[in-house]
Every structure is written in C-alpha cells, then in structure tokens.
Amino acid sequence: MNLTNARPNSDAAFLLDTAAEPGEAPRQADTVALHHAQGAWMATHTDGAAATAQTLSSLPAGRSGLVVSLAGGHGFGSRVASLGFTIGAEIKVMQNHGRGPMIVSVRGTLVALGRGEAEKVHVVSEA
Amino acid sequence: MTHCHDARGPGAHDPAALTVALIGQPNVGKSTVFNMLTGLNQHVGNWPGKTVEQRTGVYRRKGLTLNLVDLPGAYSLTANSEEERIARDYLIRSRPDVAIIVVNAAALERNLYLVAELLALPLRLVVALNMTDVAEQQGIQVEAHVLAAALAAPVVPIVATRNQGVQELVDQAVRLAGGADWKPSRPAIRPEHEPQLTALRELIAGHISHPYPADWVALKLLEGDREIIELARQALPADAWQRVQALLVKHEDAYLDIAGGRYEWIGRMVRAAVARPKAGAITFTDRLDRVATHPVAGLAVLLAMFGLVFWLTYTVATPAAGWLSEQALGWLTGLAQAILAGAPVWLNSLAADGLINGVGTVFTFLPILIVFFTMLGILEDMGYLARAAYVMDRFMHLMGLHGRSFLPLFLGFGCNVPAVMGSRIIEERRARLLTILLAPLVPCTARLAVIAFLAPAFFGGYATLVSWGLVTVNLFVLALAGIAINKLAYRGEHTAFIMELPLYHIPNPRTVALYVWHNTVGFVVKAGTLILIASMAVWALSTLPGRGVEESVLAAFGRWLEPAGRLLGLSDWRMIVALLTSFFAKENTIATLGVLYGSSDVTGALAGQVAAALTPAARLAFLVVVMLFIPCLATTATIRQETRSWRWALASIGLLLVLSLAAGIGVYQVGRLIGW
C-alpha cells in the first residue's frame, strides 16, 4: 500500500495501514481507527491495494465509499458524525454534477452537502 | 430517576397532570404527532430568551391530563445548534415525567442515534416508531417487539398521519411515568476510551452540581462539547480543571469514536429488528429526484412549481378578494350607514372612509395569503421545498448564503414577517442576519396587490409586462445587495451547507391546515391592530382641522416633502403621503389614496384618477419605489425581535430607503430624458 499517496494532515495514512493489517493494534488509543469489521469490508470490496483515500466530492454518482477521516475540525466533524458520517460508515453518492452541492445517501437517509463540505469528508472507494 | 421531581415543564398546574416531552430528529413527523395529540389546544411561543419556537399543548382523556412540550428537532444532544441545546437543557433541567421520542422507521439507523444519546440521560423514554407505512413501501419491515426487547424500552409502531397507534403511545407513556420498570439497554463506550472516561468521572466527582448527571457530563467532556467544557471549567478547582484539559487535548478526536461506537450499538439493534430486501430497487424518491434536483431540469421544475403557486394564488384567490372588496365591503358600508343614520357626519366618515375602507381593503388580501400558504404548506409537507433549497444552493452561494436561505426568502412572497421569522432555520448567525436583511426586498402579497391595482390604470395593455418587470427588478436588487454586503461586510465568507432531504410523501391535510393557520393568523392580528390604528390616524390627519382634505395636517406635511418628491416626479403631495403610510402596512398605499382622492370605491376609477395626475415616467418611478420602499412596521418589529437589536432594524430601514429612492430617482430621471 502506497502510504505516500494518502492525504497529509489526516488520519488516512494510519487508517489504511490498519486496513491492510487488520490484526495490528492501534498505535495510539486516541487515534481515529478503522475497526476490524470495516477492515474486512475493505479487503473484500477494494481489492486490497487499489484503495486510496479521496474526497467524497470526487466520487461520481452511483459510487460508494467508506469514510476514513473528517477534516474541518470538531465543529464540522461533530455535526456530520451525528448525521451518520462516522469513520467506517458507507456513503453512496446519489448525485454529483461536478459543481455545486451534491446528494449522498448515508445510513438510510438522503443528505445534501455543499461542495466545500463534501471536500472535508475523506473516503476510500473501490477503484 | 424519580418521577416526582420538583422541576416540571411549563403548565403543570394540575397535580395529577403528567409532563410529557416530545422529541425527535427533523423530518420524522413529530409535529404531526403533536398536532394529533393536542389539536388546536396548543400554544405557540418562544423558548425563554431564544428565537426558537416553543410549542406546548394539553392532551385530555377521561381522568388523564398530559402537558405536552414539543422540543425543537434535534439530530443529537451535542449542542451543534440552538435547537439541540434547548432540547437537552429542557430534558436535564425540567425533568419531564416521561419523554416520547418519535423515530422515522424508514431511516431507523440515523434516528436511533438520538435514542442512544437520550439513554445516557436519567430519563424515561417511549419510542414512537412512526412512518411505518412509508418504511413498508420501501420494503423495510421493522419488528417493533424485537426492537423493544433489544432496547429494553417500550416501542410503539404508529402512523401519525392516520392517527394509528397514538392511543397506545399515550398508554405506554402513562404506564412508564407511573413507575413501571425502567432498565434500558445503554450503548457502552469503546474499550479503548474506557480509561479516559473513568479518569474524567473521577476528576469531576463531587464538583458537578444538580441537575447535571455526572456520568453524562464526563461523556460530553470526552466528546469535546463546548458548553459542557465551559461548565466544567467553572465548576472544577484549578488543578482538576488542568488535568481535565490536558486529557481532552490529548484525546480531542474521541468524539468520532464515541459517535462511531453509538452507531455500532445501533447496528446491532437494527440487524435484530429490521428485515429489508436487497437494496438496489429504485425508489419513488430516487426517480423523482433525478429530475427535481438536476442542475438544469431541477431549475425548470422549480420555476414551474413556483409559477403554478402564483398562478393558482391569483386565479383562485383574486376573484375571492374582488368579491370581498366589492360585495362584502359594500354591504358593510351600507350596514354602517344604516346603524349610524342619526350619528354625526364625522362618525359616518370615520366608519366608512377610515375603518371599512382602510382595514376592510386589507382584509381582502386574506384569500390571497391563504391560497399562497396552502400551496407552500403542501410543497413543504410533501418534501419538495428541501429540493428547492438544494437547487438554489449554487445561486445563493453568490451572496455568501446557501440553499437553506432560499426557503425563508421565498416565504417573503406571501408576507415578509414569516420570511424574517423563517430565517431561524439557518444555524449560522452571519448567514441568518444577511437573510433577514434581504427578506424585505422580496415583494410581498401586499405590494403585489398594490401593483396589480395601479399597473392597469398606469400602463394599460403593458400592465402585465410592467408587473413582471418590477418583480424582476426587485429580485435583481436583492441579488446585487446580497453580493455587495457579502463582499464588503463579510469578505466573501462561505457558509456550511448540510441538509437532510426528506422522502417525498403525500401531504397531510391537518399539518398543512395548521401551517396556513400559523402563517395567516399573524396577518389578521396585524390588520386588526396596526392597520386599524394607521387607518384611523390617516383618516384623522386628513380630516383635521376640519376644513377638508386639501387643508388638512396630512396635506401640509405632504406639501412640505414635495421638493423631495419632485426628484421622483411626484409633484402631488397625496402620492408622497400614500408612500409614507405604507410604512404602517404596504396595503395602506391604496387605502390612503382612496381616502385622499375622496373615492370610496376602491376600484378602477381611483387608479385612473391617480394615473391622470402623473407623467408615465413618474408612474413607473412611483411603482419602483413602492416595491423597494422601507419594510412595513410589522416587518421592522419582527426584525428587531429576531435579531434582538434595534441596530439591525434601523439598518434594514436605512438600506431600503436608500435603495428605493435611488432606484426611483434613477427611473424618473432616465424616463424624463427619453421624453416620457
């Protein structure tokens, strides 16, 4: 897995590390971690090395991704986490026209997100 | 918890009455449940010191009284918004006897998040599993008894729109409030965060005072909740606070894990209780959304929808308004004259010219408002308005606003007062204030009625074209003002746009009816008070000191302003006075003209008289100024109330005064140059 491709300044690198080696214990207890069940999901859905973290805004309509990290600080993170955007949550893009807001489906509800907000949600998706 | 706690919710005079809090996330039909339980037996006010609507009501059945408190919609109890803070403050401080949480069966996973949060509070909880019909249409089967067993809490399946299961819900709430066993399942924190939570519990032990439960405070601290951190900072001794602070800084991402942990717990509940077929079937909502939220097609749908709203409003309501103004007002005038047959002439004049002409004319707008808000209520309840906000988001961005601001602004076409109040749905203060400032630039029904009255006499066959042009100019000025204020005052800052799109569903007549009621009752009150007073004042000023209109106090004031009016081509003082009285209510423009031109029939003849007094350029300038003039008294008062500052109310008046006069002078001077 190419860790240098992972986004700087986020937990994505560490998360991908965990995903590749589900048995490994988290380095720090407080680090945002992907859990084993989700690691297994990724192993079957992403063909291992193909997964690289990308922004939710870059996923085309119809594609799904797993949340690996949230940028934008506590205020934003706490708001979207309560809406279901937690680490490991599956998000399906319903509409993304490349500009303007987009619509995603998360945990059984449709949520409209501004482009700026969608850029703060980092996901891994099958290639 | 002890359900015989001192602090009760509002209205608990009856000692036998139970206080029941109603809580739920947005778009779960909570209001419908509340309306079904209370009917019109409800009171709408504000939460003390807040601009969030508070609804309380009473439910009565033989030997049973429930005081219901409808808490504002909240996704979580994390104080991300004013609504969430109010909901949790109420639950913690007022300790209702029991809480009913309404959840949407079609979005159970997300909805159970709030349940998970509520279970951390010392609170007895009944789950109302609503919209089970919608869930079934989507092939989602929720086994209520399995969910109840998993949660170890009562779960009652209901369809609030059809009043199904609501009785059973009340029974369960009463049973639980009466002291039935309460040992619910509670989500546990992930093992890796247990040590920190324990450490926090120990650090705060003995320092957190009633009514805050210490365990809950420890959890919210670890979640980084700003309000609770502030509470702890004030309550803890310095050394304990420093250790808490150090721990929180080290574990600042714990909130993501806690949220994740809650969803894992929810996942277990959902896997046990929900049977759903393989996803992939295109649902009704998906199919509609492909068109309704498309950047191009969606815009066409939006324009068509709003075209339909206006068309229906004016084709259905205008005849009714016309009938009211001709038949009902004529009848009233006749009645007044019959009753006052022996009374002095001035009293007759006050009744006919002052009251019936003034207030009566205004009441004739009521059908227009009712139809407009009925249409809007239907669109809102069926879930379309959220899509309209989504489609408009990219345009609202130009003003530094997002799609959500579009909804209150659109309400403004009905009346600016609900538009200003509707801006409450915008969380960010900056975006809210800008929306409030722009709201009076939306041409309301009253202004459109003035235009509809004057334009035909002013411009004959071109009336429709001119009317549309005026509306376009208004919206254009609104957009320009928004862009300018955002660039100058806010330096192009950007607001976060996150909004749930509810599923489409059949609108509920009762919900729509209450929506119309709440939005028009304010107008009736305004017409009954402010406009009544204004009409009498205008009448008095135009009658005193008793030598006829031409020599009245009002005429003197108008003549004094004539030099200013000349810049706009309004060389007739009566036009200036009509404009000034529109501050009391926009509709007053016509009523005042009626009084001043001494024409008791408020129909074509009056408009013709007015037209004859002005050049075409001045007519257009007058209409432009009418459209853009300062917000009416009721709107100004609402701006003051919503912003809690006179500065914003005055800023709004100043902004519109400058804009309207500049536009009016511009139109007149250009018109004169090209020889109109």
Side-chain angles (χ1 to χ4, degrees):
Chain A
M1 173 160 301
N2 188 353
L3 288 179
T4 52
N5 273 354
R7 306 191 69 84
N9 157 38
S10 83
D11 301 299
F14 171 70
L15 294 168
L16 293 172
D17 197 15
T18 330
E21 296 171 47
E24 193 181 281
R27 277 192 300 232
Q28 272 182 299
D30 63 318
T31 313
V32 180
L34 251 188
H35 285 260
H36 297 176
Q38 284 124 21
W41 188 95
M42 281 177 55
T44 51
H45 285 73
T46 60
D47 291 329
T52 313
Q54 58 187 124
T55 62
L56 180 58
S57 57
S58 66
L59 282 191
R63 280 272 289 278
S64 300
L66 290 184
V67 179
V68 287
S69 68
L70 298 170
H74 185 274
F76 174 77
S78 146
R79 243 182 105 193
V80 293
S82 64
L83 277 170
F85 293 77
T86 53
I87 309 302
E90 186 179 355
I91 298 180
K92 184 174 183 201
V93 178
M94 307 303 285
Q95 230 187 70
N96 185 357
H97 291 280
R99 286 174 52 215
M102 53 193 289
I103 302 179
V104 300
S105 163
V106 56
R107 300 190 192 270
T109 35
L110 295 174
V111 177
L113 276 182
R115 189 140 293 265
E117 287 65 54
E119 277 163 10
K120 291 176 188 161
V121 179
H122 300 151
V123 296
V124 286
S125 167
E126 37 197 316
Chain B
M1 71 168 261
T2 52
H3 79 276
C4 47
H5 198 275
D6 311 320
R8 290 281 174 81
H13 334 285
D14 181 356
L18 296 171
T19 300
V20 181
L22 208 56
I23 186 167
Q25 293 188 342
N27 306 315
V28 297
K30 181 168 66 69
S31 300
T32 313
V33 175
F34 183 76
N35 291 338
M36 284 294 170
L37 287 170
T38 61
L40 278 178
N41 201 353
Q42 50 177 268
H43 174 75
V44 182
N46 271 5
W47 289 89
K50 302 282 161 68
T51 52
V52 175
E53 195 172 274
Q54 182 191 47
R55 301 204 304 162
T56 54
V58 180
Y59 170 89
R60 282 199 187 87
R61 211 171 63 187
K62 52 174 177 13
L64 174 68
T65 306
L66 303 182
N67 290 314
L68 286 140
V69 181
D70 188 16
L71 296 176
Y75 285 110
S76 69
L77 295 183
T78 315
N80 286 321
S81 67
E82 188 88 327
E83 283 77 10
E84 297 181 356
R85 271 193 292 278
I86 289 171
R88 78 176 192 190
D89 281 355
Y90 176 80
L91 292 174
I92 291 169
R93 295 199 185 137
S94 300
R95 303 252 169 133
D97 296 301
V98 63
I100 292 174
I101 172 157
V102 184
V103 301
N104 174 357
L108 192 60
E109 206 180 346
R110 227 268 322 283
N111 275 255
L112 283 177
Y113 191 83
L114 185 58
V115 176
E117 284 236 63
L118 288 169
L119 288 172
L121 288 173
L123 180 73
R124 287 167 173 254
L125 204 60
V126 178
V127 178
L129 186 65
N130 194 20
M131 302 167 89
T132 43
D133 53 338
V134 180
E136 267 164 41
Q137 282 164 22
Q138 298 193 314
I140 303 170
Q141 285 278 350
V142 183
E143 312 242 14
H145 62 281
V146 180
L147 188 61
L151 289 167
V155 176
V156 184
I158 64 169
V159 181
T161 51
R162 282 190 256 130
N163 211 357
Q164 283 173 12
V166 177
Q167 290 304 313
E168 162 78 2
L169 183 64
V170 170
D171 292 343
Q172 288 290 346
V174 171
R175 196 180 62 82
L176 204 58
D181 273 352
W182 178 246
K183 286 197 189 64
S185 147
R186 291 198 167 99
I189 194 163
R190 278 185 190 154
E192 63 264 32
H193 285 302
E194 272 295 348
Q196 291 100 53
L197 192 61
T198 312
L200 282 173
R201 275 195 196 122
E202 283 161 7
L203 282 167
I204 64 169
H207 297 295
I208 298 300
S209 55
H210 189 77
Y212 289 92
D215 282 2
W216 182 78
V217 169
L219 183 65
K220 284 287 149 188
L221 280 176
L222 196 55
E223 279 189 75
D225 188 293
R226 292 217 171 92
E227 210 169 71
I228 298 299
I229 289 175
E230 184 56 26
L231 178 96
R233 193 180 65 79
Q234 285 172 12
L236 294 180
D239 60 324
W241 164 243
Q242 271 171 15
R243 287 169 64 197
V244 167
Q245 209 180 10
L247 195 146
L248 295 186
V249 169
K250 193 162 168 244
H251 300 279
E252 61 175 356
D253 274 339
Y255 73 94
L256 282 175
D257 258 3
I258 295 173
R262 288 193 186 113
Y263 272 113
E264 278 165 28
W265 176 82
I266 290 165
R268 289 198 293 279
M269 307 281 147
V270 170
R271 273 193 295 280
V274 176
R276 74 187 305 170
K278 187 81 193 131
I282 300 167
T283 63
F284 181 60
T285 292
D286 287 333
R287 265 197 306 249
L288 276 186
D289 268 351
R290 253 173 228 175
V291 180
T293 60
H294 188 272
V296 180
L299 205 58
V301 171
L302 182 87
L303 288 175
M305 283 284 183
F306 290 162
L308 186 72
V309 169
F310 282 115
W311 182 76
L312 271 178
T313 300
Y314 288 98
T315 50
V316 174
T318 308
W323 182 86
L324 272 178
S325 82
E326 278 168 36
Q327 302 299 315
L329 286 189
W331 179 79
L332 261 181
T333 312
L335 186 72
Q337 274 163 354
I339 292 173
L340 297 170
V345 180
W346 69 266
L347 195 60
N348 263 303
S349 164
L350 171 65
D353 302 331
L355 294 185
I356 296 175
N357 245 352
V359 180
T361 313
V362 170
F363 264 105
T364 58
F365 294 126
L366 200 55
I368 296 177
L369 269 181
I370 290 176
V371 175
F372 178 80
F373 281 115
T374 304
M375 302 292 296
L376 225 54
I378 291 171
L379 287 181
E380 153 118 23
D381 201 41
M382 67 184 272
Y384 178 71
L385 282 192
R387 271 76 187 180
Y390 174 79
V391 169
M392 287 304 289
D393 183 66
R394 59 188 77 210
F395 300 102
M396 303 305 286
H397 257 85
L398 295 172
M399 296 182 256
L401 298 173
H402 56 61
R404 229 178 240 259
S405 290
F406 174 71
L407 300 181
L409 289 179
F410 190 73
L411 278 181
F413 281 105
C415 174
N416 288 176
V417 171
V420 172
M421 290 180 66
S423 66
R424 290 170 174 193
I425 58 164
I426 305 158
E427 296 105 358
E428 243 165 319
R429 186 172 161 78
R430 188 184 65 77
R432 242 193 82 189
L433 288 173
L434 183 53
T435 309
I436 289 176
L437 210 54
L438 295 177
L441 281 167
V442 179
C444 63
T445 324
R447 269 176 278 175
L448 294 175
V450 173
I451 298 301
F453 178 76
L454 292 176
F458 280 14
F459 297 103
Y462 297 104
T464 314
L465 190 69
V466 170
S467 304
W468 277 110
L470 287 167
V471 173
T472 313
V473 165
N474 250 56
L475 298 180
F476 191 65
V477 170
L478 185 152
L480 281 184
I483 293 169
I485 294 170
N486 179 48
K487 281 258 155 59
L488 297 175
Y490 295 143
R491 299 204 176 78
E493 260 178 78
H494 155 92
T495 354
F497 178 52
I498 307 166
M499 188 177 69
E500 183 186 350
L501 297 180
L503 298 175
Y504 290 105
H505 58 93
I506 309 274
N508 177 240
R510 200 161 168 163
T511 310
V512 175
L514 277 159
Y515 177 89
V516 174
W517 170 256
H518 287 312
N519 274 303
T520 49
V521 78
F523 177 81
V524 173
V525 169
K526 182 176 89 166
T529 53
L530 285 176
I531 298 174
L532 179 77
I533 293 164
S535 298
M536 286 170 68
V538 171
W539 175 84
L541 289 172
S542 66
T543 310
L544 297 173
R547 290 191 297 271
V549 175
E550 294 289 327
E551 290 176 52
S552 65
V553 178
L554 201 59
F557 185 56
R559 287 202 183 96
W560 181 70
L561 279 175
E562 258 180 12
R566 244 171 247 132
L567 287 172
L568 295 160
L570 303 180
S571 46
D572 189 338
W573 60 273
R574 289 177 287 199
M575 306 299 290
I576 299 170
V577 170
L579 205 54
L580 290 179
T581 54
S582 78
F583 174 63
F584 295 100
K586 298 290 175 181
E587 315 84 309
N588 261 345
T589 311
I590 299 173
T592 307
L593 288 173
V595 172
L596 294 181
Y597 280 84
S599 162
S600 55
D601 87 300
V602 192
T603 46
L606 169 62
Q609 266 177 293
V610 176
L614 298 169
T615 65
R619 290 176 203 164
L620 191 58
F622 181 71
L623 293 187
V624 167
V625 178
V626 164
M627 288 292 270
L628 294 171
F629 204 52
I630 58 174
C632 69
L633 186 55
T635 306
T636 309
T638 312
I639 293 176
R640 155 74 186 88
Q641 177 195 322
E642 293 293 313
T643 59
R644 305 187 167 275
S645 122
W646 277 113
R647 244 184 43 207
W648 281 97
L650 292 175
S652 171
I653 290 182
L655 176 74
L656 270 84
L657 191 63
V658 170
L659 283 176
S660 62
L661 292 182
I665 292 170
V667 165
Y668 177 65
Q669 298 299 342
V670 170
R672 220 171 48 133
L673 279 179
I674 59 172
W676 269 7

